[in-house]
Amino acid sequence: MNTSSATTDSQVTNIDTIKNYLLSYWGIIYLLIGTIGTSLNLYIFTDRNYRSSSPCIPYLLASTLATLPLMYVSILSRIGIGFRITPFYYIPILCKLQVYIANVSVSLVIWFTIGSCWDRFLSSSRKACVRRMSSHRNSRRTILAITFCISAAYAQIFYCFDGPLVMAAAPCSAKNTPCTTIDTILLFFIQFFAPPLLIFCLGIKIHQNVHQMATISSQQQGHVLNKQKADRSILKMIVFQVIVLLLCSIPIIVFRLYSTATMTISKSNLRRSIENLIFNATLMIFYCDKMCSFYIYTLTSYHFRKILKGFITRMRCINVIVPAES
């Protein structure tokens, strides 16, 4: 019995070590590529000409801004776990803030992406009255509404979460069964189930609208076609981001369904350690599209690459040293 217990303890230690290496190095990579990409996103989306080119751009800018707390709170906390620096596990207010910021920022990124899909649906409609709803003013109003609703929905975290909890799956967790149920329902609705359904429905409608508008615009010339070309470029950028978002969401959705189904089962330390490793791996995959949005935009949008090249050219010109005249 003692030998079996020692073997189990050794396996748990090895799994925890793997988890710590995974979080520390994966998190550092995310932090580096995310900081570079987000900085360039902010420059491009705040460019006056590009920002005014489409009512969809404010959603992408808002999504980029929502990535900042995700990087510098959630990703840093994962790196801290990897290096065994975990003050948010043991200080209740840090526990609540870390969970709140992580959930709100991830949800905002997802719902701002849905907002950009909604704007593409409006702008691609055959009806002029519907197309007029696609405006910068309405985009700003929708962004404020999304921010308020999501921030309010996760306010329950300040009551439900606490740390340190000895018998919970993690030291910073929901403190009782009703709180766990509320948190799970919100998680599945806001982050996992509603977004894919809305994106799927909007995607079908956008495809139908674009096909219909292509037939109409085949007889048009001039600036209308140029505007539609720019709109298609932005649409392509959003479509690829949505595809990557959905692919990155699948692993954590499957794991969350499993963990919810087995929530009432008594588990050994080894099983909890394995599940904790899988959870952290799926969580880091879930963060991938948020950290790599700049690279997705660069690969899929000609207009995005054009502004990026202009920025790089200007930076090179600034750094050129002009020799003094003799």
Side-chain angles (χ1 to χ4, degrees), residues 54-60 63 109-125 130 134 139 142 146 195-207 209-210 231 234-243 245-246 297:
S54 169
C56 184
I57 301 302
Y59 290 107
L60 302 180
S63 178
V109 171
I110 293 171
W111 282 86
F112 289 150
T113 303
I114 295 173
S116 64
C117 294
W118 170 250
D119 179 79
R120 292 300 86 193
F121 161 70
L122 295 176
S123 65
S124 63
S125 175
V130 176
S134 173
S139 294
T142 306
I146 290 172
L197 289 175
L198 287 172
I199 289 171
F200 178 75
C201 294
L202 288 172
I204 291 176
K205 296 301 294 182
I206 291 170
H207 175 75
N209 288 347
V210 169
D231 285 344
I234 296 172
L235 177 60
K236 183 180 177 182
M237 187 168 68
I238 294 170
V239 166
F240 274 87
Q241 186 188 18
V242 165
I243 291 172
L245 185 153
L246 295 177
Y297 300 151

Side-chain angles (χ1 to χ4, degrees), residues 141-158:
R141 289 175 176 174
T142 306
I143 288 168
L144 290 175
I146 290 172
T147 303
F148 174 79
C149 291
I150 289 178
S151 300
Y154 282 112
Q156 51 82 24
I157 287 173
F158 290 101

